Amino acid sequence: AQSVAQPEDQVNVAEGNPLTVKCTYSVSGNPYLFWYVQYPNRGLQFLLKYITGDNLVKGSYGFEAEFNKSQTSFHLKKPSALVSDSALYFCAASSGGSYIPTFGRGTSLIVHP
Amino acid sequence: DTGVSQNPRHKITKRGQNVTFRCDPISEHNRLYWYRQTLGQGPEFLTYFQNEAQLEKSRLLSDRFSAERPKGSFSTLEIQRTEQGDSAMYLCASSLEGGGNQPQHFGDGTRLSIL
């Protein structure tokens, strides 16, 4: 069975500082990994994905994520946080054997001015 | 690309009533998914369609829930005899066909409140 863990319910960071939102996963076979962002009363918006290739994936709004196979992790990063990045972030995982992604519980990112 | 559209945005109903939600996916997407999201949780898979065929249903989808996608375009999710525990945000998403490697595009959801 697939599973995704986001160990932090909330991450606080000052504007201009780098941010990291953590995600670990468990899937059978090669993983397909995704990050989504959700603003209040809105649906999820796709940020980036890892399918294969380079371990560092670049996505929308300056976000990137690092795939680490040995640690089964896919942490979301941004070099310099903005107040407008404050939102709920979800990590999701699937594999070639399943078209249905499993989502983590989400991490609330709060960027302080 | 007009995005995924869900209607209504909010639904308030009394326990025991039936409710129906509609989802209009991105037109070229042949996969459509329904999820339920409660506070503090990520989306939980309910069911998915490839074109008009319902290919998978979660054990979360009790007999009171039914979903259709009659012409492979829009979809409806019906909940019969609603219960307090059905209160949640119901999200619809669509994607291109692919072996699980396609990102999903979500609508803004229908928030259901059971009185």
Side-chain angles (χ1 to χ4, degrees):
Chain A
Q2 297 175 167
S3 66
V4 173
Q6 293 182 241
E8 303 152 317
D9 289 337
Q10 185 171 300
V11 169
N12 291 276
V13 64
E15 187 174 33
N17 283 1
L19 69 87
T20 299
V21 182
K22 296 179 180 177
C23 171
T24 58
Y25 66 88
S26 174
V27 302
S28 298
N30 293 322
Y32 302 140
L33 301 165
F34 305 83
W35 276 102
Y36 292 84
V37 61
Q38 186 177 32
Y39 296 97
N41 298 314
R42 301 296 302 274
L44 281 67
Q45 296 177 31
F46 169 70
L47 280 179
L48 51 79
K49 69 177 181 180
Y50 171 84
I51 303 301
T52 187
D54 289 341
N55 290 343
L56 187 63
V57 178
K58 295 189 182 297
S60 306
Y61 312 119
F63 284 94
E64 57 191 26
E66 187 170 10
F67 170 66
N68 187 315
K69 186 174 183 177
S70 63
Q71 297 186 3
T72 62
S73 67
F74 188 56
H75 300 333
L76 181 70
K77 301 182 179 184
K78 188 174 182 181
S80 178
L82 300 172
V83 172
S84 57
D85 292 331
S86 299
L88 201 52
Y89 290 80
F90 290 96
C91 180
S94 63
S95 68
S98 172
Y99 301 153
I100 312 304
T102 298
F103 287 83
R105 291 184 55 177
T107 297
S108 177
L109 174 66
I110 300 174
V111 181
H112 301 277
Chain B
D1 180 356
T2 57
V4 177
S5 177
Q6 291 190 246
N7 288 288
R9 291 294 313 279
H10 299 93
K11 181 70 177 178
I12 301 173
T13 192
K14 294 181 179 179
R15 182 169 54 89
Q17 297 296 304
N18 299 344
V19 294
T20 300
F21 311 140
R22 177 179 169 124
C23 172
D24 289 88
I26 294 172
S27 58
E28 59 266 31
H29 289 180
N30 58 3
R31 288 203 176 142
L32 186 148
Y33 307 77
W34 285 99
Y35 293 90
R36 181 171 66 189
Q37 186 180 23
T38 53
L39 196 62
Q41 300 293 326
E44 297 174 296
F45 169 73
L46 293 177
T47 188
Y48 108 91
F49 293 83
Q50 180 154 318
N51 300 313
E52 65 276 8
Q54 188 174 18
L55 295 187
E56 191 166 337
K57 292 193 290 186
S58 164
R59 284 171 291 179
L60 290 175
L61 210 66
S62 77
D63 292 343
R64 296 185 297 107
F65 287 68
S66 62
E68 294 182 341
R69 194 182 183 196
K71 298 182 180 179
S73 57
F74 74 91
S75 175
T76 58
L77 177 68
E78 182 183 15
I79 309 175
Q80 295 182 328
R81 304 181 303 282
T82 53
E83 301 174 355
Q84 292 283 352
D86 296 333
S87 295
M89 174 78 87
Y90 290 84
L91 294 168
C92 175
S94 67
S95 76
L96 293 168
E97 186 168 349
N101 60 10
Q102 294 295 322
Q104 298 185 347
H105 297 255
F106 283 81
D108 285 338
T110 294
R111 183 170 297 282
L112 175 64
S113 298
I114 307 297
L115 301 178

